[in-house]
Amino acid sequence: MTNQGKLYIVPTPVGNLEDMTFRAIRILKEADLILAEDTRTSGILLKHFEIKNALQSHHKFNEHQTVESVINKIKAGANVALISDAGTPGISDPGFLVTRECVRNGIEVQCLPGATAFVPAVVASGLPNDRFCFEGFLPQKKGRMTRLQALAEERRTMILYESPYRLVKTLTQLAECFGAERQASVSREISKMHEETVRGTLDELAKHFTEHEPKGEIVLVVAGKED
């Protein structure tokens, strides 16, 4: 009987390529197959570290179709590494489905520690980080206001991902639901050349980014409701 392989979940840099760990490079070089969210984006990273293993596309539009074949390959003995475009797979990125199915099939799953955008953002915000909740992206339309109203009562620091195109709208809506004076922080382009964190009230941040058009990947950290 063939020994089963493993699924390795491998974080990749959210910005600076120096954030790649030695272990991540080794695992990717040893893997029989690398699943990548975008093979073009990952191709740049892999080429930089001289990793030439087999590469297969695995993104939110095809992951339902690819999961079964991946499970079968691991059961047949292949070690598979999963990467996303940036950060840790499964955190607002594809990865949950294949991880869940591996667990259900008794396949060992190892997630390497490494780059993710929200940890640097919450630490650099200066807001309490002994307790926090990660909300990812808010619903764009249906259920958006219901979610915001529910979060208005949240006492932990909240972490949101947001597009630069929706940031001002989101800050304005948060100010309406939480109060204009609620403290918050916006981190963008984490670990990249133009990394920036702007702190202030929700109202101040909405005004700032109305005047200074935001660019790049954004993490929004909002203080919880005070007692």
Side-chain angles (χ1 to χ4, degrees):
M1 183 177 175
T2 308
N3 289 329
Q4 280 193 155
K6 296 179 185 177
L7 175 69
Y8 292 94
I9 299 167
V10 183
T12 54
V14 295
N16 194 320
L17 289 178
E18 291 178 359
D19 294 338
M20 192 76 167
T21 68
F22 293 123
R23 184 179 171 208
I25 295 168
R26 177 179 62 79
I27 292 292
L28 291 176
K29 285 186 173 181
E30 292 175 357
D32 298 299
L33 175 66
I34 298 171
L35 301 178
E37 184 178 0
D38 185 327
T39 53
R40 293 163 301 178
T41 303
S42 296
I44 297 166
L45 175 84
L46 299 177
K47 184 178 179 182
H48 179 83
F49 291 108
E50 298 180 349
I51 298 164
K52 300 169 182 174
N53 301 29
L55 197 60
Q56 181 179 320
S57 174
H58 180 85
H59 47 72
K60 64 182 179 181
F61 302 109
N62 76 354
E63 63 178 336
H64 284 276
Q65 288 78 39
T66 58
V67 163
E68 188 178 352
S69 68
V70 169
I71 296 293
N72 290 335
K73 284 172 182 167
I74 298 173
K75 282 183 173 179
N79 286 315
V80 174
L82 172 69
I83 58 177
S84 60
D85 287 351
T88 301
I91 304 291
S92 294
D93 278 328
F96 168 70
L97 282 179
V98 69
T99 302
R100 182 182 67 185
E101 290 309 304
C102 282
V103 170
R104 285 178 174 175
N105 281 272
I107 291 167
E108 185 176 348
V109 176
Q110 286 189 8
C111 181
L112 279 61
T116 190
F118 76 78
V119 173
V122 72
V123 172
S125 72
L127 296 170
N129 59 23
D130 53 331
R131 296 173 70 234
F132 57 83
C133 61
F134 175 71
E135 288 291 320
F137 288 96
L138 291 168
Q140 286 188 37
K141 293 177 182 173
K142 188 178 179 182
R144 185 179 177 88
M145 293 314 295
T146 305
R147 177 79 62 85
L148 286 172
Q149 287 159 5
L151 290 174
E153 298 302 312
E154 176 60 65
R155 296 183 182 278
R156 295 169 294 179
T157 298
M158 291 157 273
I159 304 167
L160 304 167
Y161 283 169
E162 193 49 280
S163 150
Y165 310 107
R166 290 193 300 270
L167 178 62
V168 171
K169 174 187 173 184
T170 297
L171 288 167
T172 304
Q173 289 177 331
L174 287 169
E176 290 168 358
C177 289
F178 295 6
E181 296 304 306
R182 184 77 70 93
Q183 290 292 315
S185 145
V186 172
S187 292
R188 62 180 198 87
E189 296 289 78
I190 288 170
S191 192
K192 296 179 183 173
M193 188 180 294
H194 300 293
E195 179 174 348
E196 174 187 49
T197 295
V198 183
R199 305 168 185 86
T201 65
L202 287 168
D203 188 50
E204 288 167 345
L205 290 171
K207 287 175 181 172
H208 174 85
F209 287 105
T210 299
E211 295 169 7
H212 304 88
E213 184 182 355
K215 294 179 181 177
E217 302 290 321
I218 286 166
V219 185
L220 173 57
V221 183
V222 186
K225 184 179 180 181
E226 292 185 359
D227 293 335

